[in-house]
Amino acid sequence: MNQLLLKAVDKDKMLGRIISKYDGSKAHFRPHQIERSLALVLKDLNPSQKDLIYQHIYQELANTAGELSSQQISQTIISVLEEAGFHQAAQNYYRFGLDKRQKRQKQENVQVKLDELLAGNKRIINENANKDSRVFNTGRDLTAGVSAKAIGLAMMPKAVANAHLKGDIHYHDLDYQPYSPMTNCCLIDFKEMLANGFHIGNAEVESPKSVNTAAAQIAQIVANVASSQYGGCSADRIDEVLAPYAKLNFEKHLATAQEWIAEADRQEAYAYQKTEKDIYDAMQSLEYEINTLYSSNGQTPFTTLGFGLGQDWFSREIQKAILKIRIQGLGREKRTAIFPKLVFTLKDGTNLKPTDPNYDIKQLALECASKRMYPDVLMYDKIVDITGSFKAPMGCRSFLQAWQDEAGRDVSQGRMNLGVVTLNLPRIALEAHGDQAIFWQILAERIEIARQALVYRVERTKEAKPENAPILYQHGAFGQRLASDDQVDELFKNKRATISLGYIGLYEVATSFYGPEWENNTEAKDFTLNILKALKEQTDHWGQQYGYHFSLYATPSESLTDRFCQLDLAKFGEVADITDKGYYTNSFHYDVRKNPSPFEKLTFEAPYPQYSSGGFIHYCEYPNLRHNPKALEAVWDFAYDKVGYLGTNTPIDHCYQCGFDGEFDPTAHGFKCPECGNNDPESCDVVKRTCGYLGNPQIRPMVEGRQKEINARVKHMRTTTNFDNEGDANG
């Protein structure tokens, strides 16, 4: 606001005033918001006339005693316009407010959303790249989700619902929660369930007597858990969990050999050979079962297998089988499996160096990643440093924090997340108009709304009864077995469960204040880190206040990268390098349009997860690595003591018409073979990293913003030669 507007108004006094909004939330008075809302209705006036109108409005508001309300401000604006003789402008401003209210009501209207769904609105049907909207059960889930969202918005605090609809925050998975008091993602306690048996449907399932049965039971558990929650589920250290059951196979085969074979060495050789085949068959069956399952919400269960630390023969064979089966591919055409997501752990002394006992399995993991993109890798020591203890992520990137039970034992298995609410950080930067003081002021207001949303999520989830999800609460998936009259909060409270505050678009925030090439600007980077420090301080404080583990989460933003950007494009217009791209950048990631080396990118991003310990992942973009896994190993080794979790993005597309292997060309709506132009999903296999997990966009398309973000990605290297040299120098 320029000095003319302040002639009769105390600026500091005005900026310090608090507004009470119609939804009950509070905000500081900001003159530029009034000017932006009046810009269209006063477009025919010259600047001096506009200034005079603004001055009169601010003078009237300054003379109003007590707390201002949104309604008072609107009435004052209309009165000033009428008194000045701008009757048409007053009417237009009234209609402007009415249009906003009607638009908000339309967003909440079930019938409108159902009509959009039936009309094939791509932002609805492609919201989740793991859902095939063409099939009946997914279509039914999407239809139910429209109703559940409307009901959920009516259930939650009005300020939270309004902030979600406007795009100030995003209340994740609104199609499931709060309509149902469901949990988000978890680390299933497979060890306990397999050891002690469990109940599903009409079957009481006993502890398995072989690795084959154990793997089949894991698939049954995954299907049931995925239908009882809405997020991903993980099997942590699955090689070590299944090893005792593989040993049962060995003992059975050894007993048979001792009956028929005289020589002791041949007896053991026979038993090992048969057990190796059993392990391979068991893990292959698990791979196929997970990829052929549909959960009740119409998607392939988002399953993650964490492995790599077991050193006994059985654990090693399980690790090798997982990797060999993924390299082999699915079906006659050997397509890349999307699930389960594979996460291989690197640990110094176990598999990191050539002298480590499992170094050979690391080489197999490198081959697998170069051909199938998975496994992603966890750096054992860094995960402990960032999260307090070692564990695999829940789903794609959500991490539990260290927690001990009453006996002082570290516990990760059987714990869970209660949901995510994400802040639209780029919007706050755009609203601040280059003033960092205002940025921090708005951020504080949005954090308060997010707190209300997260606390509401916790309270709603606590309303579940054990019988609502027996597999979770009564039969071991959540680590303890509750009675039907127990409170589910027994498994959540005392920081056993996490609840996550997410964020998106740090790149765009810094761009708003420092320009699009800010990554090498120390002041700009410190600004982004200070934002995360402030958010982390808040989540830590809430954890102490409420007794749940509030964590800061670098949101994967699968569809949110599109939604927030589209809402802000409508509100602010095309802003260079922010809204004009058609997407917002995930979490803390380096601008995907730039091409630093992998080493530069990882060094840049390394500090951020220390504050985002509730969820994070790094990735690097490479050219075809199938014949150069040593280059990938150089990056893994370089990253070991710098980042905790690293994904590999490399071209693995395949055309079954012409035989092309490599990277398909991006188009506005998908991808096509660069050799023959084929884009038929039945005759090509196109795999891209959606965010924390892989997707097949030809079969299950992504929202437009995510497609644009993928198309904008460039390789994080300048030439293969430079990559190799830098890897040798830094690795």
Side-chain angles (χ1 to χ4, degrees):
M1 189 168 65
N2 62 41
Q3 291 301 312
L4 175 62
L5 306 182
L6 298 173
K7 184 165 55 176
V9 181
D10 184 333
K11 180 179 181 181
D12 293 334
K13 181 180 177 182
M14 285 300 300
L15 293 178
R17 297 286 292 274
I18 300 296
I19 300 171
S20 176
K21 297 188 175 182
Y22 80 94
D23 59 15
S25 62
K26 307 287 186 182
H28 285 81
F29 180 84
R30 296 187 185 93
H32 70 264
Q33 292 182 344
I34 291 178
E35 295 174 23
R36 186 172 66 237
S37 66
L38 282 169
L40 290 177
V41 300
L42 299 179
K43 62 183 178 180
D44 295 331
L45 301 187
N46 62 48
S48 62
Q49 289 175 311
K50 290 180 183 178
D51 287 345
L52 188 60
I53 292 293
Y54 297 152
Q55 183 180 352
H56 287 169
I57 290 171
Y58 300 140
Q59 183 66 65
E60 289 294 321
L61 293 174
N63 292 335
T64 304
E67 189 175 81
L68 291 169
S69 70
S70 297
Q71 186 177 11
Q72 281 178 300
I73 293 173
S74 295
Q75 290 174 346
T76 299
I77 291 172
I78 292 171
S79 296
V80 169
L81 291 174
E82 289 283 5
E83 290 172 8
F86 298 112
H87 306 296
Q88 187 61 50
Q91 292 178 22
N92 290 343
Y93 184 80
Y94 174 78
R95 280 199 294 267
F96 172 73
L98 184 63
D99 288 345
K100 284 205 304 183
R101 289 191 294 273
Q102 290 176 340
K103 183 178 180 181
R104 191 174 297 119
Q105 291 170 353
K106 181 180 177 181
Q107 286 181 285
E108 300 176 36
N109 188 284
V110 175
Q111 188 58 54
V112 170
K113 290 300 180 183
L114 284 173
D115 290 343
E116 291 178 352
L117 176 63
L118 294 172
N121 185 315
K122 293 187 182 300
R123 286 200 159 86
I124 297 177
I125 64 176
N126 296 338
E127 184 179 40
N128 187 333
N130 188 30
K131 287 187 176 183
D132 187 347
S133 61
R134 300 170 300 177
V135 300
F136 287 141
N137 54 344
T138 306
R140 184 175 180 274
D141 181 73
L142 290 169
T143 303
V146 168
S147 299
K149 286 181 178 181
I151 295 170
L153 285 166
M155 292 171 65
M156 66 179 64
K158 192 171 183 179
V160 172
N162 186 45
H164 171 84
L165 290 170
K166 290 193 301 182
D168 293 344
I169 66 169
H170 185 77
Y171 192 103
H172 287 260
D173 302 292
L174 185 55
D175 43 350
Y176 300 110
Q177 213 264 14
Y179 172 76
S180 293
M182 301 173 78
T183 53
N184 183 17
C185 50
C186 68
L187 285 182
I188 301 173
D189 195 344
F190 286 109
K191 183 177 180 180
E192 194 275 346
M193 296 184 76
L194 294 179
N196 299 311
F198 54 93
H199 191 98
I200 291 181
N202 298 320
E204 192 72 40
V205 183
E206 295 183 347
S207 181
K209 303 300 188 291
S210 70
V211 70
N212 313 75
T213 304
Q217 289 185 9
I218 284 175
Q220 293 164 353
I221 293 168
V222 164
N224 207 260
V225 168
S227 296
S228 301
Q229 60 174 34
Y230 54 82
C233 55
S234 296
D236 190 22
R237 304 173 84 138
I238 193 171
D239 48 333
E240 297 165 89
V241 169
L242 287 176
Y245 302 99
K247 188 176 180 181
L248 294 178
N249 290 61
F250 175 81
E251 291 169 351
K252 177 183 176 181
H253 292 312
L254 184 60
T256 300
Q258 288 170 343
E259 185 177 352
W260 297 100
I261 301 172
E263 299 89 345
D265 57 339
R266 289 185 60 208
Q267 293 170 0
E268 280 207 346
Y270 170 85
Y272 279 121
Q273 182 181 15
K274 295 289 286 183
T275 304
E276 181 181 350
K277 179 65 163 59
D278 289 345
I279 289 171
Y280 188 92
D281 290 346
M283 302 317 297
Q284 186 176 54
S285 294
L286 181 61
E287 178 111 323
Y288 273 89
E289 285 189 62
I290 288 175
N291 279 283
T292 54
L293 287 173
Y294 268 115
S295 67
S296 63
N297 57 16
Q299 60 183 311
T300 305
F302 193 127
T303 314
T304 298
L305 302 184
F307 63 104
L309 294 175
Q311 296 187 40
D312 62 275
W313 184 86
F314 302 103
S315 297
R316 281 176 46 82
E317 288 303 314
I318 292 166
Q319 293 176 43
K320 289 192 285 186
I322 291 171
L323 294 167
K324 288 177 180 177
I325 290 160
R326 183 55 56 89
I327 292 170
Q328 177 73 6
L330 289 175
R332 183 179 64 255
E333 293 179 326
K334 311 300 181 187
R335 290 177 178 255
T336 295
I338 301 301
F339 290 107
K341 175 181 169 75
L342 303 182
V343 181
F344 182 73
T345 301
L346 293 174
K347 185 179 182 183
D348 196 2
T350 299
N351 53 24
L352 183 66
K353 298 173 181 174
T355 53
D356 293 341
N358 283 7
Y359 182 72
D360 59 323
I361 303 180
K362 178 191 180 186
Q363 300 306 300
L364 191 60
L366 286 161
E367 179 188 351
C368 188
S370 69
K371 294 177 177 178
R372 302 293 185 181
M373 280 206 270
Y374 283 155
D376 293 341
V377 286
L378 293 177
M379 315 304 181
Y380 183 93
D381 294 317
K382 202 64 182 175
I383 290 294
V384 173
D385 175 51
I386 293 171
T387 70
S389 63
F390 178 80
K391 79 288 291 179
M394 299 179 287
C396 77
R397 73 176 66 196
S398 182
F399 278 97
L400 294 163
Q401 308 303 290
W403 185 82
Q404 294 182 334
D405 62 14
E406 292 179 353
R409 295 169 296 199
D410 287 323
V411 177
S412 293
Q413 317 314 312
R415 292 173 58 204
M416 72 302 291
N417 180 269
L418 305 184
V420 181
V421 172
T422 290
L423 292 168
N424 184 349
L425 293 182
R427 170 172 289 192
I428 299 174
L430 291 170
E431 289 177 337
H433 286 269
D435 188 327
Q436 289 192 16
I438 293 179
F439 174 87
W440 290 109
Q441 191 181 76
I442 301 173
L443 179 62
E445 295 167 1
R446 300 289 157 76
I447 288 173
E448 169 55 22
I449 297 293
R451 180 197 64 79
Q452 295 176 33
L454 291 169
V455 170
Y456 176 73
R457 291 200 86 126
V458 173
E459 294 302 318
R460 176 59 179 145
T461 309
K462 286 161 54 178
E463 294 176 11
K465 299 181 182 302
E467 61 192 20
N468 295 147
I471 191 74
L472 304 181
Y473 299 113
Q474 296 179 290
H475 302 304
F478 280 176
Q480 298 178 27
R481 303 191 183 216
L482 301 179
S484 59
D485 58 349
D486 285 338
Q487 299 296 311
V488 297
D489 193 36
E490 292 299 313
L491 302 183
F492 304 154
K493 65 184 183 180
N494 300 323
K495 297 189 178 181
R496 191 176 188 274
T498 63
I499 178 81
S500 301
L501 173 66
Y503 65 90
I504 178 176
L506 275 184
Y507 166 76
E508 285 78 12
V509 171
T511 296
S512 179
F513 291 102
Y514 296 95
E517 305 297 328
W518 63 267
E519 285 94 346
N520 293 319
N521 181 331
T522 302
E523 181 183 342
K525 186 173 183 180
D526 286 346
F527 175 58
T528 61
L529 287 168
N530 286 334
I531 293 170
L532 298 194
K533 289 177 185 177
L535 297 178
K536 181 69 162 57
E537 287 175 1
Q538 287 294 322
T539 55
D540 288 347
H541 172 69
W542 297 338
Q544 296 302 317
Q545 181 179 358
Y546 296 104
Y548 300 90
H549 215 310
F550 287 80
S551 61
L552 187 58
Y553 180 72
T555 304
S557 315
E558 178 186 336
S559 62
L560 196 54
T561 191
D562 176 87
R563 177 177 183 256
F564 274 171
C565 186
Q566 291 305 313
L567 289 171
D568 288 352
L569 178 64
K571 184 171 185 175
F572 301 100
E574 286 199 356
V575 181
D577 298 297
I578 299 178
T579 62
D580 67 337
K581 308 188 308 302
Y583 63 87
Y584 281 162
T585 305
N586 272 26
S587 60
F588 53 74
H589 291 316
Y590 206 106
D591 181 9
V592 299
R593 301 169 299 174
K594 300 185 177 80
N595 65 335
S597 73
F599 312 98
E600 292 167 336
K601 182 178 191 290
L602 294 175
T603 299
F604 171 83
E605 293 181 352
Y608 292 97
Q610 294 290 342
Y611 306 105
S612 309
S613 57
F616 57 90
I617 189 173
H618 308 262
Y619 70 89
C620 292
E621 297 277 346
Y622 309 97
N624 194 321
L625 291 171
R626 298 183 191 200
H627 304 295
N628 194 12
K630 282 295 180 184
L632 181 58
E633 184 174 17
V635 179
W636 285 10
D637 290 351
F638 173 84
Y640 183 76
D641 60 357
K642 296 176 181 62
V643 303
Y645 186 22
L646 178 60
T648 300
N649 291 359
T650 185
I652 59 170
D653 304 332
H654 180 75
C655 178
Y656 295 104
Q657 288 188 0
C658 71
F660 172 81
D661 274 314
E663 185 159 29
F664 273 34
D665 291 335
T667 70
H669 304 291
F671 299 86
K672 66 178 182 179
C673 175
E675 294 292 332
C676 67
N678 174 33
N679 64 353
D680 178 11
E682 299 300 321
S683 59
C684 64
D685 189 23
V686 179
V687 178
K688 304 295 177 186
R689 184 175 296 273
T690 304
C691 40
Y693 70 99
L694 304 184
N696 191 319
Q698 300 299 89
I699 297 175
R700 299 181 180 182
M702 304 166 187
V703 292
E704 184 178 349
R706 176 57 65 192
Q707 180 74 29
K708 288 180 177 179
E709 189 268 345
I710 290 174
N711 293 353
R713 296 175 188 173
V714 297
K715 300 295 181 281
H716 294 138
M717 55 185 20
R718 294 171 186 87
T719 68
T720 303
T721 302
N722 289 345
F723 180 35
D724 290 341
N725 290 341
E726 193 163 6
D728 293 339
N730 291 277

